Amino acid sequence: PIDGADAKALADALTRAGRPATYAPGFDWLQARLAETLRPGDLAMSMGAGNVTTLLRGHPGREALPQ
């Protein structure tokens, strides 16, 4: 790992560069945020390494998508 190179630093740098980004401290926080903001017809996608691909599987209202 590179000292100081983490998800929060990346989100902060993107925001400073004019690309608003939000650091998500964990899946529970992010799932709660999605439940608050997603509305019918919205599209949410996730990508990354490890188990981040499981993030949306349990979201209420999730439509079945090909696996």
Side-chain angles (χ1 to χ4, degrees):
I2 301 172
D3 189 40
D6 57 24
K8 181 155 182 9
L10 176 60
D12 292 345
L14 287 168
T15 299
R16 283 193 306 274
R19 301 288 184 186
T22 301
Y23 167 69
F27 275 17
D28 290 341
W29 182 91
L30 187 52
Q31 285 178 325
R33 177 78 178 196
L34 290 173
E36 293 171 2
T37 58
L38 290 179
R39 300 292 174 249
D42 286 351
L43 173 66
M45 296 187 297
S46 63
M47 67 178 197
N51 63 353
V52 73
T53 57
T54 65
L55 177 64
L56 299 174
R57 289 192 185 144
H59 190 275
R62 178 191 173 276
E63 295 181 11
L65 298 174
Q67 296 297 317

